[in-house]
PDB file of all heavy atoms in Angstrom:
ATOM      1  N   ILE Y 162     -13.582  12.453 -10.778  1.00 94.00           N
ATOM      2  CA  ILE Y 162     -14.736  12.546 -11.600  1.00 94.00           C
ATOM      3  C   ILE Y 162     -15.974  12.692 -10.760  1.00 94.00           C
ATOM      4  O   ILE Y 162     -17.138  12.639 -11.241  1.00 94.00           O
ATOM      5  CB  ILE Y 162     -14.901  11.477 -12.576  1.00 94.00           C
ATOM      6  CG1 ILE Y 162     -15.020  10.069 -11.885  1.00 94.00           C
ATOM      7  CG2 ILE Y 162     -13.767  11.447 -13.547  1.00 94.00           C
ATOM      8  CD1 ILE Y 162     -15.238   8.902 -12.823  1.00 94.00           C
ATOM      9  N   GLY Y 163     -15.793  12.772  -9.352  1.00 91.00           N
ATOM     10  CA  GLY Y 163     -16.892  12.983  -8.564  1.00 91.00           C
ATOM     11  C   GLY Y 163     -17.449  11.721  -7.877  1.00 91.00           C
ATOM     12  O   GLY Y 163     -18.392  11.843  -7.020  1.00 91.00           O
ATOM     13  N   GLU Y 164     -16.903  10.533  -8.072  1.00 94.00           N
ATOM     14  CA  GLU Y 164     -17.327   9.374  -7.417  1.00 94.00           C
ATOM     15  C   GLU Y 164     -16.533   9.260  -6.080  1.00 94.00           C
ATOM     16  O   GLU Y 164     -15.660   8.450  -6.000  1.00 94.00           O
ATOM     17  CB  GLU Y 164     -17.033   8.140  -8.264  1.00 94.00           C
ATOM     18  CG  GLU Y 164     -17.845   8.164  -9.594  1.00 94.00           C
ATOM     19  CD  GLU Y 164     -19.358   7.876  -9.372  1.00 94.00           C
ATOM     20  OE1 GLU Y 164     -19.686   7.387  -8.350  1.00 94.00           O
ATOM     21  OE2 GLU Y 164     -20.151   8.234 -10.248  1.00 94.00           O
ATOM     22  N   LEU Y 165     -16.979  10.104  -5.104  1.00 93.00           N
ATOM     23  CA  LEU Y 165     -16.108  10.244  -3.964  1.00 93.00           C
ATOM     24  C   LEU Y 165     -16.116   8.948  -3.077  1.00 93.00           C
ATOM     25  O   LEU Y 165     -15.139   8.604  -2.480  1.00 93.00           O
ATOM     26  CB  LEU Y 165     -16.648  11.407  -3.122  1.00 93.00           C
ATOM     27  CG  LEU Y 165     -16.514  12.734  -3.786  1.00 93.00           C
ATOM     28  CD1 LEU Y 165     -17.021  13.827  -2.813  1.00 93.00           C
ATOM     29  CD2 LEU Y 165     -15.104  13.044  -4.207  1.00 93.00           C
ATOM     30  N   ILE Y 166     -17.225   8.346  -3.008  1.00 94.00           N
ATOM     31  CA  ILE Y 166     -17.354   7.041  -2.150  1.00 94.00           C
ATOM     32  C   ILE Y 166     -16.439   6.007  -2.743  1.00 94.00           C
ATOM     33  O   ILE Y 166     -15.584   5.411  -1.987  1.00 94.00           O
ATOM     34  CB  ILE Y 166     -18.778   6.635  -2.002  1.00 94.00           C
ATOM     35  CG1 ILE Y 166     -19.580   7.683  -1.150  1.00 94.00           C
ATOM     36  CG2 ILE Y 166     -18.808   5.330  -1.227  1.00 94.00           C
ATOM     37  CD1 ILE Y 166     -21.050   7.281  -1.002  1.00 94.00           C
ATOM     38  N   TRP Y 167     -16.598   5.751  -3.965  1.00 95.00           N
ATOM     39  CA  TRP Y 167     -15.810   4.702  -4.659  1.00 95.00           C
ATOM     40  C   TRP Y 167     -14.399   5.013  -4.587  1.00 95.00           C
ATOM     41  O   TRP Y 167     -13.442   4.241  -4.376  1.00 95.00           O
ATOM     42  CB  TRP Y 167     -16.231   4.474  -6.037  1.00 95.00           C
ATOM     43  CG  TRP Y 167     -17.398   3.510  -6.205  1.00 95.00           C
ATOM     44  CD1 TRP Y 167     -18.740   3.807  -6.610  1.00 95.00           C
ATOM     45  CD2 TRP Y 167     -17.389   2.136  -5.915  1.00 95.00           C
ATOM     46  NE1 TRP Y 167     -19.465   2.713  -6.529  1.00 95.00           N
ATOM     47  CE2 TRP Y 167     -18.730   1.615  -6.136  1.00 95.00           C
ATOM     48  CE3 TRP Y 167     -16.462   1.190  -5.510  1.00 95.00           C
ATOM     49  CZ2 TRP Y 167     -19.084   0.317  -5.924  1.00 95.00           C
ATOM     50  CZ3 TRP Y 167     -16.762  -0.145  -5.294  1.00 95.00           C
ATOM     51  CH2 TRP Y 167     -18.042  -0.548  -5.540  1.00 95.00           C
ATOM     52  N   GLY Y 168     -14.012   6.354  -4.826  1.00 94.00           N
ATOM     53  CA  GLY Y 168     -12.667   6.756  -4.804  1.00 94.00           C
ATOM     54  C   GLY Y 168     -12.066   6.555  -3.480  1.00 94.00           C
ATOM     55  O   GLY Y 168     -10.893   6.137  -3.376  1.00 94.00           O
ATOM     56  N   THR Y 169     -12.800   6.962  -2.450  1.00 93.00           N
ATOM     57  CA  THR Y 169     -12.165   6.820  -1.054  1.00 93.00           C
ATOM     58  C   THR Y 169     -12.017   5.324  -0.735  1.00 93.00           C
ATOM     59  O   THR Y 169     -11.046   5.014  -0.126  1.00 93.00           O
ATOM     60  CB  THR Y 169     -13.258   7.447  -0.038  1.00 93.00           C
ATOM     61  OG1 THR Y 169     -13.397   8.830  -0.335  1.00 93.00           O
ATOM     62  CG2 THR Y 169     -12.747   7.299   1.356  1.00 93.00           C
ATOM     63  N   VAL Y 170     -12.995   4.535  -1.105  1.00 94.00           N
ATOM     64  CA  VAL Y 170     -12.771   3.052  -0.721  1.00 94.00           C
ATOM     65  C   VAL Y 170     -11.611   2.445  -1.463  1.00 94.00           C
ATOM     66  O   VAL Y 170     -10.815   1.747  -0.778  1.00 94.00           O
ATOM     67  CB  VAL Y 170     -14.105   2.328  -1.116  1.00 94.00           C
ATOM     68  CG1 VAL Y 170     -13.948   0.780  -1.014  1.00 94.00           C
ATOM     69  CG2 VAL Y 170     -15.317   2.739  -0.216  1.00 94.00           C
ATOM     70  N   ILE Y 171     -11.526   2.777  -2.768  1.00 94.00           N
ATOM     71  CA  ILE Y 171     -10.391   2.251  -3.482  1.00 94.00           C
ATOM     72  C   ILE Y 171      -9.078   2.714  -3.027  1.00 94.00           C
ATOM     73  O   ILE Y 171      -8.112   1.913  -2.854  1.00 94.00           O
ATOM     74  CB  ILE Y 171     -10.587   2.497  -5.023  1.00 94.00           C
ATOM     75  CG1 ILE Y 171     -11.787   1.766  -5.541  1.00 94.00           C
ATOM     76  CG2 ILE Y 171      -9.367   1.969  -5.811  1.00 94.00           C
ATOM     77  CD1 ILE Y 171     -12.250   2.109  -6.938  1.00 94.00           C
ATOM     78  N   VAL Y 172      -8.920   3.988  -2.816  1.00 93.00           N
ATOM     79  CA  VAL Y 172      -7.705   4.621  -2.359  1.00 93.00           C
ATOM     80  C   VAL Y 172      -7.350   4.056  -0.989  1.00 93.00           C
ATOM     81  O   VAL Y 172      -6.120   3.640  -0.740  1.00 93.00           O
ATOM     82  CB  VAL Y 172      -7.758   6.164  -2.355  1.00 93.00           C
ATOM     83  CG1 VAL Y 172      -6.596   6.728  -1.494  1.00 93.00           C
ATOM     84  CG2 VAL Y 172      -7.873   6.696  -3.684  1.00 93.00           C
ATOM     85  N   THR Y 173      -8.281   3.952  -0.077  1.00 89.00           N
ATOM     86  CA  THR Y 173      -8.006   3.478   1.299  1.00 89.00           C
ATOM     87  C   THR Y 173      -7.528   2.012   1.210  1.00 89.00           C
ATOM     88  O   THR Y 173      -6.605   1.607   1.850  1.00 89.00           O
ATOM     89  CB  THR Y 173      -9.231   3.508   2.160  1.00 89.00           C
ATOM     90  OG1 THR Y 173      -9.624   4.985   2.246  1.00 89.00           O
ATOM     91  CG2 THR Y 173      -8.974   3.027   3.576  1.00 89.00           C
ATOM     92  N   ALA Y 174      -8.194   1.250   0.416  1.00 88.00           N
ATOM     93  CA  ALA Y 174      -7.821  -0.276   0.309  1.00 88.00           C
ATOM     94  C   ALA Y 174      -6.429  -0.419  -0.165  1.00 88.00           C
ATOM     95  O   ALA Y 174      -5.659  -1.194   0.301  1.00 88.00           O
ATOM     96  CB  ALA Y 174      -8.841  -0.975  -0.601  1.00 88.00           C
ATOM     97  N   PHE Y 175      -6.053   0.332  -1.291  1.00 89.00           N
ATOM     98  CA  PHE Y 175      -4.723   0.102  -1.849  1.00 89.00           C
ATOM     99  C   PHE Y 175      -3.625   0.957  -0.911  1.00 89.00           C
ATOM    100  O   PHE Y 175      -2.459   0.565  -0.941  1.00 89.00           O
ATOM    101  CB  PHE Y 175      -4.734   0.594  -3.242  1.00 89.00           C
ATOM    102  CG  PHE Y 175      -5.262  -0.305  -4.181  1.00 89.00           C
ATOM    103  CD1 PHE Y 175      -6.556  -0.314  -4.622  1.00 89.00           C
ATOM    104  CD2 PHE Y 175      -4.465  -1.485  -4.614  1.00 89.00           C
ATOM    105  CE1 PHE Y 175      -7.092  -1.320  -5.511  1.00 89.00           C
ATOM    106  CE2 PHE Y 175      -4.976  -2.395  -5.508  1.00 89.00           C
ATOM    107  CZ  PHE Y 175      -6.327  -2.350  -5.900  1.00 89.00           C
ATOM    108  N   ALA Y 176      -4.103   1.925  -0.258  1.00 84.00           N
ATOM    109  CA  ALA Y 176      -3.064   2.621   0.590  1.00 84.00           C
ATOM    110  C   ALA Y 176      -2.639   1.741   1.710  1.00 84.00           C
ATOM    111  O   ALA Y 176      -1.466   1.876   2.242  1.00 84.00           O
ATOM    112  CB  ALA Y 176      -3.680   3.924   1.171  1.00 84.00           C
ATOM    113  N   LEU Y 177      -3.482   0.753   2.134  1.00 80.00           N
ATOM    114  CA  LEU Y 177      -3.051  -0.173   3.177  1.00 80.00           C
ATOM    115  C   LEU Y 177      -1.885  -1.076   2.828  1.00 80.00           C
ATOM    116  O   LEU Y 177      -1.284  -1.612   3.683  1.00 80.00           O
ATOM    117  CB  LEU Y 177      -4.276  -1.075   3.516  1.00 80.00           C
ATOM    118  CG  LEU Y 177      -5.431  -0.298   4.317  1.00 80.00           C
ATOM    119  CD1 LEU Y 177      -6.585  -1.240   4.597  1.00 80.00           C
ATOM    120  CD2 LEU Y 177      -4.974   0.438   5.493  1.00 80.00           C
ATOM    121  N   THR Y 178      -1.620  -1.112   1.461  1.00 82.00           N
ATOM    122  CA  THR Y 178      -0.498  -1.908   1.079  1.00 82.00           C
ATOM    123  C   THR Y 178       0.804  -1.272   1.560  1.00 82.00           C
ATOM    124  O   THR Y 178       1.856  -1.932   1.555  1.00 82.00           O
ATOM    125  CB  THR Y 178      -0.392  -2.083  -0.436  1.00 82.00           C
ATOM    126  OG1 THR Y 178      -0.376  -0.666  -1.054  1.00 82.00           O
ATOM    127  CG2 THR Y 178      -1.655  -2.728  -1.015  1.00 82.00           C
ATOM    128  N   ASP Y 179       0.758  -0.044   2.014  1.00 79.00           N
ATOM    129  CA  ASP Y 179       1.942   0.642   2.594  1.00 79.00           C
ATOM    130  C   ASP Y 179       2.412  -0.111   3.780  1.00 79.00           C
ATOM    131  O   ASP Y 179       3.546  -0.144   4.151  1.00 79.00           O
ATOM    132  CB  ASP Y 179       1.592   2.060   2.900  1.00 79.00           C
ATOM    133  CG  ASP Y 179       2.903   2.863   3.197  1.00 79.00           C
ATOM    134  OD1 ASP Y 179       3.881   2.774   2.438  1.00 79.00           O
ATOM    135  OD2 ASP Y 179       2.934   3.581   4.286  1.00 79.00           O
ATOM    136  N   ALA Y 180       1.442  -0.639   4.599  1.00 79.00           N
ATOM    137  CA  ALA Y 180       1.764  -1.507   5.808  1.00 79.00           C
ATOM    138  C   ALA Y 180       2.103  -2.915   5.286  1.00 79.00           C
ATOM    139  O   ALA Y 180       2.966  -3.539   5.992  1.00 79.00           O
ATOM    140  CB  ALA Y 180       0.575  -1.511   6.686  1.00 79.00           C
ATOM    141  N   LEU Y 181       1.479  -3.349   4.216  1.00 85.00           N
ATOM    142  CA  LEU Y 181       1.684  -4.811   3.838  1.00 85.00           C
ATOM    143  C   LEU Y 181       3.131  -4.978   3.329  1.00 85.00           C
ATOM    144  O   LEU Y 181       3.752  -5.973   3.657  1.00 85.00           O
ATOM    145  CB  LEU Y 181       0.622  -5.127   2.718  1.00 85.00           C
ATOM    146  CG  LEU Y 181       0.823  -6.528   2.220  1.00 85.00           C
ATOM    147  CD1 LEU Y 181       0.633  -7.592   3.192  1.00 85.00           C
ATOM    148  CD2 LEU Y 181      -0.222  -6.694   1.017  1.00 85.00           C
ATOM    149  N   ASP Y 182       3.627  -4.113   2.434  1.00 87.00           N
ATOM    150  CA  ASP Y 182       4.921  -4.263   1.919  1.00 87.00           C
ATOM    151  C   ASP Y 182       5.990  -4.143   3.027  1.00 87.00           C
ATOM    152  O   ASP Y 182       6.966  -4.873   2.967  1.00 87.00           O
ATOM    153  CB  ASP Y 182       5.167  -3.307   0.712  1.00 87.00           C
ATOM    154  CG  ASP Y 182       5.068  -1.867   1.098  1.00 87.00           C
ATOM    155  OD1 ASP Y 182       4.867  -1.568   2.262  1.00 87.00           O
ATOM    156  OD2 ASP Y 182       5.140  -1.013   0.150  1.00 87.00           O
ATOM    157  N   GLY Y 183       5.796  -3.236   3.908  1.00 84.00           N
ATOM    158  CA  GLY Y 183       6.753  -3.099   4.976  1.00 84.00           C
ATOM    159  C   GLY Y 183       6.784  -4.359   5.874  1.00 84.00           C
ATOM    160  O   GLY Y 183       7.882  -4.801   6.304  1.00 84.00           O
ATOM    161  N   THR Y 184       5.618  -4.911   6.137  1.00 86.00           N
ATOM    162  CA  THR Y 184       5.650  -6.155   6.871  1.00 86.00           C
ATOM    163  C   THR Y 184       6.308  -7.369   6.183  1.00 86.00           C
ATOM    164  O   THR Y 184       7.006  -8.140   6.767  1.00 86.00           O
ATOM    165  CB  THR Y 184       4.098  -6.570   7.197  1.00 86.00           C
ATOM    166  OG1 THR Y 184       3.540  -5.531   7.880  1.00 86.00           O
ATOM    167  CG2 THR Y 184       4.048  -7.867   7.931  1.00 86.00           C
ATOM    168  N   MET Y 185       6.022  -7.378   4.869  1.00 88.00           N
ATOM    169  CA  MET Y 185       6.692  -8.387   4.098  1.00 88.00           C
ATOM    170  C   MET Y 185       8.134  -8.295   4.030  1.00 88.00           C
ATOM    171  O   MET Y 185       8.963  -9.252   4.201  1.00 88.00           O
ATOM    172  CB  MET Y 185       6.179  -8.411   2.631  1.00 88.00           C
ATOM    173  CG  MET Y 185       4.746  -8.800   2.493  1.00 88.00           C
ATOM    174  SD  MET Y 185       4.074  -8.532   0.846  1.00 88.00           S
ATOM    175  CE  MET Y 185       5.074  -9.740  -0.101  1.00 88.00           C
ATOM    176  N   ALA Y 186       8.678  -7.060   4.043  1.00 87.00           N
ATOM    177  CA  ALA Y 186      10.099  -6.755   3.983  1.00 87.00           C
ATOM    178  C   ALA Y 186      10.752  -7.217   5.335  1.00 87.00           C
ATOM    179  O   ALA Y 186      11.832  -7.797   5.387  1.00 87.00           O
ATOM    180  CB  ALA Y 186      10.434  -5.306   3.760  1.00 87.00           C
ATOM    181  N   ARG Y 187      10.089  -6.927   6.439  1.00 87.00           N
ATOM    182  CA  ARG Y 187      10.557  -7.243   7.805  1.00 87.00           C
ATOM    183  C   ARG Y 187      10.554  -8.815   7.960  1.00 87.00           C
ATOM    184  O   ARG Y 187      11.469  -9.356   8.513  1.00 87.00           O
ATOM    185  CB  ARG Y 187       9.692  -6.662   8.841  1.00 87.00           C
ATOM    186  CG  ARG Y 187       9.902  -5.189   9.079  1.00 87.00           C
ATOM    187  CD  ARG Y 187       9.268  -4.644  10.330  1.00 87.00           C
ATOM    188  NE  ARG Y 187       7.877  -4.765  10.247  1.00 87.00           N
ATOM    189  CZ  ARG Y 187       6.997  -3.828   9.701  1.00 87.00           C
ATOM    190  NH1 ARG Y 187       7.555  -2.796   9.206  1.00 87.00           N
ATOM    191  NH2 ARG Y 187       5.674  -4.022   9.724  1.00 87.00           N
ATOM    192  N   MET Y 188       9.564  -9.461   7.382  1.00 86.00           N
ATOM    193  CA  MET Y 188       9.542 -10.914   7.430  1.00 86.00           C
ATOM    194  C   MET Y 188      10.687 -11.572   6.666  1.00 86.00           C
ATOM    195  O   MET Y 188      11.122 -12.697   6.994  1.00 86.00           O
ATOM    196  CB  MET Y 188       8.190 -11.500   7.000  1.00 86.00           C
ATOM    197  CG  MET Y 188       7.044 -11.219   7.905  1.00 86.00           C
ATOM    198  SD  MET Y 188       5.493 -11.830   7.251  1.00 86.00           S
ATOM    199  CE  MET Y 188       4.364 -11.514   8.712  1.00 86.00           C
ATOM    200  N   ARG Y 189      11.113 -10.909   5.660  1.00 84.00           N
ATOM    201  CA  ARG Y 189      12.226 -11.431   4.808  1.00 84.00           C
ATOM    202  C   ARG Y 189      13.569 -11.018   5.440  1.00 84.00           C
ATOM    203  O   ARG Y 189      14.545 -11.342   4.810  1.00 84.00           O
ATOM    204  CB  ARG Y 189      12.173 -10.876   3.357  1.00 84.00           C
ATOM    205  CG  ARG Y 189      10.971 -11.397   2.575  1.00 84.00           C
ATOM    206  CD  ARG Y 189      10.901 -10.839   1.208  1.00 84.00           C
ATOM    207  NE  ARG Y 189      12.123 -11.154   0.487  1.00 84.00           N
ATOM    208  CZ  ARG Y 189      12.412 -10.767  -0.758  1.00 84.00           C
ATOM    209  NH1 ARG Y 189      11.513  -9.999  -1.435  1.00 84.00           N
ATOM    210  NH2 ARG Y 189      13.430 -11.089  -1.427  1.00 84.00           N
ATOM    211  N   GLY Y 190      13.602 -10.263   6.521  1.00 80.00           N
ATOM    212  CA  GLY Y 190      14.842  -9.915   7.182  1.00 80.00           C
ATOM    213  C   GLY Y 190      15.270  -8.491   7.001  1.00 80.00           C
ATOM    214  O   GLY Y 190      16.399  -8.138   7.285  1.00 80.00           O
ATOM    215  N   GLY Y 191      14.324  -7.618   6.502  1.00 74.00           N
ATOM    216  CA  GLY Y 191      14.543  -6.235   6.478  1.00 74.00           C
ATOM    217  C   GLY Y 191      14.524  -5.707   4.986  1.00 74.00           C
ATOM    218  O   GLY Y 191      14.745  -6.466   4.116  1.00 74.00           O
ATOM    219  N   SER Y 192      14.246  -4.494   4.903  1.00 73.00           N
ATOM    220  CA  SER Y 192      14.029  -3.819   3.625  1.00 73.00           C
ATOM    221  C   SER Y 192      15.408  -3.503   2.974  1.00 73.00           C
ATOM    222  O   SER Y 192      16.350  -3.065   3.680  1.00 73.00           O
ATOM    223  CB  SER Y 192      13.270  -2.492   3.760  1.00 73.00           C
ATOM    224  OG  SER Y 192      13.207  -1.789   2.484  1.00 73.00           O
ATOM    225  N   SER Y 193      15.528  -3.627   1.603  1.00 82.00           N
ATOM    226  CA  SER Y 193      16.771  -3.286   0.960  1.00 82.00           C
ATOM    227  C   SER Y 193      16.764  -1.779   0.732  1.00 82.00           C
ATOM    228  O   SER Y 193      15.691  -1.104   0.923  1.00 82.00           O
ATOM    229  CB  SER Y 193      16.764  -3.918  -0.393  1.00 82.00           C
ATOM    230  OG  SER Y 193      15.742  -3.464  -1.198  1.00 82.00           O
ATOM    231  N   LYS Y 194      17.920  -1.179   0.448  1.00 86.00           N
ATOM    232  CA  LYS Y 194      17.987   0.221   0.187  1.00 86.00           C
ATOM    233  C   LYS Y 194      17.105   0.646  -0.996  1.00 86.00           C
ATOM    234  O   LYS Y 194      16.426   1.717  -0.897  1.00 86.00           O
ATOM    235  CB  LYS Y 194      19.432   0.604  -0.044  1.00 86.00           C
ATOM    236  CG  LYS Y 194      20.340   0.476   1.195  1.00 86.00           C
ATOM    237  CD  LYS Y 194      21.761   0.942   0.888  1.00 86.00           C
ATOM    238  CE  LYS Y 194      22.560   0.855   2.224  1.00 86.00           C
ATOM    239  NZ  LYS Y 194      23.994   1.303   1.927  1.00 86.00           N
ATOM    240  N   PHE Y 195      17.110  -0.194  -2.053  1.00 90.00           N
ATOM    241  CA  PHE Y 195      16.315   0.116  -3.178  1.00 90.00           C
ATOM    242  C   PHE Y 195      14.845   0.013  -2.771  1.00 90.00           C
ATOM    243  O   PHE Y 195      14.056   0.882  -3.252  1.00 90.00           O
ATOM    244  CB  PHE Y 195      16.585  -0.740  -4.337  1.00 90.00           C
ATOM    245  CG  PHE Y 195      15.704  -0.580  -5.523  1.00 90.00           C
ATOM    246  CD1 PHE Y 195      15.792   0.542  -6.294  1.00 90.00           C
ATOM    247  CD2 PHE Y 195      14.600  -1.501  -5.793  1.00 90.00           C
ATOM    248  CE1 PHE Y 195      14.885   0.785  -7.418  1.00 90.00           C
ATOM    249  CE2 PHE Y 195      13.730  -1.197  -6.815  1.00 90.00           C
ATOM    250  CZ  PHE Y 195      13.900  -0.169  -7.657  1.00 90.00           C
ATOM    251  N   GLY Y 196      14.495  -0.954  -2.005  1.00 88.00           N
ATOM    252  CA  GLY Y 196      13.076  -1.025  -1.587  1.00 88.00           C
ATOM    253  C   GLY Y 196      12.634   0.071  -0.825  1.00 88.00           C
ATOM    254  O   GLY Y 196      11.441   0.558  -1.034  1.00 88.00           O
ATOM    255  N   ALA Y 197      13.552   0.636   0.072  1.00 86.00           N
ATOM    256  CA  ALA Y 197      13.147   1.817   0.809  1.00 86.00           C
ATOM    257  C   ALA Y 197      12.952   3.049  -0.063  1.00 86.00           C
ATOM    258  O   ALA Y 197      11.980   3.827   0.045  1.00 86.00           O
ATOM    259  CB  ALA Y 197      14.145   2.081   1.918  1.00 86.00           C
ATOM    260  N   LEU Y 198      13.794   3.133  -1.053  1.00 90.00           N
ATOM    261  CA  LEU Y 198      13.749   4.196  -2.102  1.00 90.00           C
ATOM    262  C   LEU Y 198      12.478   4.078  -2.853  1.00 90.00           C
ATOM    263  O   LEU Y 198      11.767   5.125  -3.104  1.00 90.00           O
ATOM    264  CB  LEU Y 198      14.950   4.260  -2.896  1.00 90.00           C
ATOM    265  CG  LEU Y 198      14.951   5.275  -4.146  1.00 90.00           C
ATOM    266  CD1 LEU Y 198      14.950   6.713  -3.578  1.00 90.00           C
ATOM    267  CD2 LEU Y 198      16.181   5.097  -4.982  1.00 90.00           C
TER     268      LEU Y 198
END
């Protein structure tokens, strides 16, 4: 809808969870096959 700054900030913040969930999986001993899928 044209709110580029807010859109970029929100997308970037939540995109960082891609690193967070992987880190959590490694701390638990590795990702499951379903988790990877």
Side-chain angles (χ1 to χ4, degrees):
I162 64 175
E164 296 290 341
L165 296 183
I166 295 177
W167 276 110
T169 299
V170 170
I171 295 172
V172 167
T173 301
F175 280 97
L177 294 179
T178 59
D179 192 48
L181 179 60
D182 58 6
T184 301
M185 292 172 65
R187 286 191 295 273
M188 289 180 175
R189 291 181 60 181
S192 175
S193 65
K194 291 182 179 180
F195 174 75
L198 174 63

